[in-house]
Amino acid sequence: MPFLNRGNHGDAKLFARAERALNERRLVDAESDFRELVMRQPTNPVAWYDLGLIYKWQADWPQSRDCNLKAVDLGASPQDPAWWNLGIAATALQDWATARKAWTGYGVTLPPGDGPINGQFGRACVRLNPDSEPEVVWGERIDPARMRIANIPLPETGHRWRDVVLHDGEPVGRRQLGDGSAPVFNELVRMEAGSLETTIAVVVCPTLDDSTALVEALDTDTTRAEDFTYSVVVMCKACSEGEEAATHDHRAENSWRPERRFGIVATSQLLHAALNTWSTEGQGRSVLS
């Protein structure tokens, strides 16, 4: 993307002030300055891109889309970040024609069609509620900026299994995936809610096999169970936002605890039936709450 025309001293001074406000996340000041810049230099893509970035951070999706459209129409090359932010804003608005234009402009190969994108873009993680009480969960990317949640989120996150969330484009951390790693993206907004809320069940599992049996009993297309006692790990900020380190173990203990907390997604009828069957099929199993 071309740099701002700095031939005018006043414009250069205004640009420096606007960039400083942007970097310090003083968004009201930055928006005002970049608004003035695009009036002075309406054909400069940098000012339009930065203004669109501000509106993305403010979740003002119509303004972000329009500013990034200005930036790309002024000559953005493939891999230019203006294309990506245009795709995010258009996706938030469900403006699928513009979203497809943006991802194609960036260089992404899309499944054919002219409506919502429902492809396979790999496994990744998303940090739910990144600015308050965050939780990182796994998901399947269905397009470059949307992910369907595969884990059962903690109920206090306000999210559900199989939510579709819009996420940012720059990874903030990585998690181990096989012999490699997967990116962690910050959530921007929840676009679709999963059909069922999470129920917490406290059960007694004498062994790991008993925990596995409960997970497998509810592993269907419409139900799911997750052993939160194992899967929920509180991580330090450095590890959460960096490369997950095998040498830095955040688990409080490694010994087996029979009393375990499960997150379960199922209708009330299926939940009670599954718990009753599971508890009677193994010695020492019980449901506490």
Side-chain angles (χ1 to χ4, degrees), residues 9-277:
H9 177 71
D11 287 359
K13 186 175 181 180
L14 179 60
F15 177 74
R17 188 177 73 192
E19 286 284 285
R20 184 165 57 250
L22 181 65
N23 291 335
E24 295 172 358
R25 291 293 183 108
R26 291 186 286 110
L27 300 187
V28 174
D29 293 338
E31 179 188 354
S32 176
D33 287 344
F34 278 114
R35 271 288 175 197
E36 185 174 347
L37 273 170
V38 297
M39 290 179 65
R40 294 185 183 185
Q41 296 189 6
T43 61
N44 193 284
V46 175
W48 284 112
Y49 167 77
D50 283 341
L51 190 56
L53 179 62
I54 292 166
Y55 288 130
K56 184 185 78 168
W57 287 345
Q58 295 174 333
D60 186 339
W61 304 118
Q63 294 264 45
S64 184
R65 176 190 58 188
D66 293 348
C67 289
N68 281 292
L69 267 173
K70 283 279 191 181
V72 301
D73 287 346
L74 288 168
S77 60
Q79 305 293 303
D80 192 296
W83 284 117
W84 200 273
N85 282 351
L86 174 60
I88 288 174
T91 300
L93 294 168
Q94 300 184 52
D95 176 358
W96 302 116
T98 303
R100 286 176 175 272
K101 170 185 174 179
W103 303 132
T104 302
Y106 189 83
V108 178
T109 300
L110 300 176
D114 55 8
I117 302 161
N118 189 15
Q120 297 180 345
F121 290 81
R123 295 189 71 194
C125 294
V126 61
R127 182 175 289 105
L128 307 175
N129 306 326
D131 297 323
S132 62
E133 302 298 327
E135 181 188 4
V136 175
V137 295
W138 285 92
E140 299 290 340
R141 298 177 71 190
I142 60 176
D143 74 19
R146 289 186 301 155
M147 191 182 308
R148 190 179 301 278
I149 295 176
N151 282 125
I152 300 176
L154 293 169
E156 49 266 38
T157 65
H159 289 74
R160 300 177 180 181
W161 176 55
R162 296 189 63 78
D163 278 359
V164 174
V165 298
L166 181 74
H167 61 78
D168 212 345
E170 182 178 0
V172 184
R174 301 191 71 85
R175 294 293 184 272
Q176 291 179 331
L177 179 62
D179 294 331
S181 64
V184 180
F185 300 102
N186 282 346
E187 177 194 22
L188 293 171
V189 67
R190 180 168 74 164
M191 295 191 66
E192 299 176 26
S195 59
L196 292 172
E197 294 184 357
T198 303
T199 299
I200 299 297
V202 181
V203 301
V204 174
C205 297
T207 68
L208 172 61
D209 288 343
D210 298 303
S211 172
T212 302
L214 182 52
V215 171
E216 290 178 347
L218 287 159
D219 185 13
T220 73
D221 290 341
T222 58
T223 64
R224 193 60 50 107
E226 189 169 320
D227 186 345
F228 282 170
T229 304
Y230 172 78
S231 65
V232 177
V233 180
V234 178
M235 301 180 72
C236 66
K237 182 178 176 67
C239 284
S240 179
E241 297 184 357
E243 187 82 28
E244 187 177 13
T247 57
H248 195 172
D249 189 359
H250 290 85
R251 296 189 183 277
E253 57 183 73
N254 293 317
S255 58
W256 184 256
R257 286 185 288 162
E259 185 174 314
R260 308 192 72 78
R261 185 170 179 258
F262 273 74
I264 298 178
V265 178
T267 64
S268 178
Q269 182 178 2
L270 287 173
L271 169 64
H272 288 104
L275 288 175
N276 286 336
T277 300

